[in-house]
Amino acid sequence: MSKADYRELGKSHDRQFDAVACLSSSLLEMPDEREALKALKSMRQVLKDGGLLIISQGTTDKMWAEKPRFIPVVNRPNFSRVFVIDYTEKGARFNILDLFHEPERTEFKVWTREYKRVLLMDDHEKLLADAGFSSTEFYGSYSFDPYDKASSDLLVCHAIK
């Protein structure tokens, strides 16, 4: 497996793919919309004609409207994760608390992910059109439930080159 900057996939991949996946809010790592557009154009470049781009993120229109401060993300017998979110005008800082619940491992870790600009459904739709994708569909789950700005807890985008 190789590493590549997904804003420049053509430099590290000399072939085209049937599909590209950009999962778990990866696109939010881009510092601004210009860089996000560059990443989407790069992904389109390495797709075959008719190829599929899948984007997913947990930051949704519903979440942005409600702005919850605490979100329990994982709660298993051996591990829990909680997001404590500080919202800015256009972005958010996710303070992440990982708690380990095992006899040999009971420590916790705290770390942060900062997104300067949160991209929501309308932002994705515009950026994908600007990147040259021919059609886009949005879902609120991996089961293809329709995306609803008021109630969906997951944003999944399906775009065709």
Side-chain angles (χ1 to χ4, degrees), residues 40 53 55 124-133 136 138 157 159:
L40 291 170
L53 171 64
I55 299 171
H124 283 287
E125 194 165 41
K126 180 186 181 317
L127 286 167
L128 288 162
D130 290 349
F133 285 89
T136 56
F138 293 90
C157 177

Side-chain angles (χ1 to χ4, degrees), residues 11 19 59 80 88 120:
K11 289 184 178 180
T59 308
S80 298
T88 62
L120 302 174

Side-chain angles (χ1 to χ4, degrees), residues 61-141:
D61 290 86
K62 173 190 170 193
M63 181 183 153
W64 192 251
E66 295 176 356
K67 292 187 173 48
R69 177 92 165 110
F70 302 95
I71 299 177
V73 182
V74 177
N75 190 18
R76 296 189 305 245
N78 63 339
F79 175 75
S80 298
R81 174 172 285 168
V82 177
F83 291 163
V84 181
I85 306 169
D86 300 316
Y87 295 90
T88 62
E89 182 181 341
K90 293 184 179 182
R93 180 181 308 107
F94 285 69
N95 303 290
I96 302 152
L97 172 62
D98 289 341
L99 301 161
F100 299 90
H101 321 291
E102 299 174 0
E104 64 281 349
R105 189 172 186 193
T106 58
E107 79 271 12
F108 65 89
K109 293 194 293 186
V110 177
W111 49 290
T112 300
R113 298 298 316 154
E114 184 153 356
Y115 302 121
K116 303 255 185 236
R117 172 77 162 95
V118 170
L119 301 171
L120 302 174
M121 187 189 109
D122 293 341
D123 302 309
H124 283 287
E125 194 165 41
K126 180 186 181 317
L127 286 167
L128 288 162
D130 290 349
F133 285 89
S134 62
S135 70
T136 56
E137 295 182 43
F138 293 90
Y139 302 100
S141 73

Side-chain angles (χ1 to χ4, degrees), residues 6-25:
Y6 59 78
R7 292 169 291 190
E8 299 178 343
L9 291 172
K11 289 184 178 180
S12 57
H13 295 78
D14 59 358
R15 63 188 182 109
Q16 291 190 308
F17 299 90
D18 295 318
V20 171
C22 184
L23 305 176
S24 299
S25 304

Side-chain angles (χ1 to χ4, degrees), residues 22-51:
C22 184
L23 305 176
S24 299
S25 304
S26 295
L27 201 56
L28 298 181
E29 297 291 338
M30 294 292 93
D32 55 40
E33 287 185 32
R34 183 180 62 79
E35 292 296 310
L37 179 59
K38 184 177 179 182
L40 291 170
K41 285 180 176 180
S42 171
M43 292 175 204
R44 185 180 183 282
Q45 177 187 4
V46 297
L47 281 171
K48 293 178 182 176
D49 287 341

